[in-house]
Amino acid sequence: PNFEEIASRLAGHTNVVNVSFTEPYLKAVSKVPPGHSISWRQSAQQRETTYQRYPDLRSVGAAEMALLLDLEAVSEAHGIQLRVCCNQEYSGKFALAQCCGAELFSPYGDSILQKVAALKPGPSREQCRCIKTVDIGMDTTCPGGCFYCYATTSLDRAMKNFKEHDPKFSRLR
């Protein structure tokens, strides 16, 4: 129901939705509350550390494929293409995402588009197809509390950092 509402509101305002399964970063897996179970994408990048420490991690399977098919049907009904990010195992079944690629810059003209298209890829994770990007945020500043988040190590600290943030402050002064 949530995705249906989001897709209906975005209809006509976007053409693409990129989805991905949670990357099993060690600090994300370690924060999963007891009794909760989530599916983690297969990741050779994390196999040496996370899967050795947590051998019982549940991998993405048939239920998640059914979810992707449902999400695709909803998005298509609203004129939005569903793409999968960093999940090459779904290539051929779903379009592969490029969250930050040249097509995003096409509205800014050919000159910008050509410069962006010439940039080298800079994947942030295995199988990422994006150009190199730079994060502009800081870790442990989001008060969202998502236990699978790899960027927040302490919710208490994130809440404190969020409350202390001054949006009018600039280091460029």
Side-chain angles (χ1 to χ4, degrees):
N2 292 339
F3 187 71
E4 170 66 42
E5 182 179 341
I6 292 168
S8 68
R9 289 181 179 208
L10 289 175
H13 301 287
T14 190
N15 300 318
V16 173
V17 59
N18 294 332
V19 298
S20 181
F21 292 106
T22 309
E23 181 80 17
Y25 292 113
L26 190 57
K27 63 182 170 179
V29 174
S30 68
K31 293 189 305 182
V32 175
H36 283 76
S37 179
I38 63 173
S39 298
W40 303 88
R41 68 180 289 274
Q42 291 291 332
S43 174
Q45 188 175 5
Q46 304 302 327
R47 194 159 285 120
E48 296 299 316
T49 55
T50 309
Y51 289 109
Q52 286 179 351
R53 190 172 294 176
Y54 298 94
D56 296 330
L57 288 181
R58 193 175 85 221
S59 295
V60 170
E64 290 75 21
M65 174 56 96
L67 173 63
L68 285 177
L69 292 169
D70 288 347
L71 294 175
E72 182 181 51
V74 169
S75 60
E76 283 181 353
H78 295 287
I80 302 170
Q81 180 189 33
L82 181 122
R83 297 180 186 175
V84 293
C85 174
C86 295
N87 293 108
Q88 301 290 357
E89 62 271 27
Y90 297 115
S91 65
K93 298 174 187 107
F94 301 96
L96 296 177
Q98 187 175 20
C99 306
C100 187
E103 72 179 41
L104 291 175
F105 298 89
S106 61
Y108 303 104
D110 286 341
S111 175
I112 296 291
L113 185 60
Q114 288 174 6
K115 287 178 184 176
V116 171
L119 294 173
K120 293 181 181 179
S124 58
R125 326 186 259 172
E126 178 186 350
Q127 300 178 350
C128 178
R129 301 173 64 232
C130 292
I131 59 175
K132 185 167 178 58
T133 59
V134 176
D135 285 342
I136 59 171
M138 290 178 54
D139 284 359
T140 312
T141 56
C142 176
C146 302
F147 63 78
Y148 52 82
C149 178
Y150 61 89
T152 295
T153 54
S154 162
L155 182 56
D156 291 337
R157 181 75 181 154
M159 296 291 277
K160 183 178 184 283
N161 289 340
F162 185 78
K163 287 176 185 172
E164 291 177 356
H165 173 68
D166 178 1
K168 295 182 179 146
F169 177 80
S170 171
R171 291 181 186 249
L172 301 176
R173 290 184 186 168

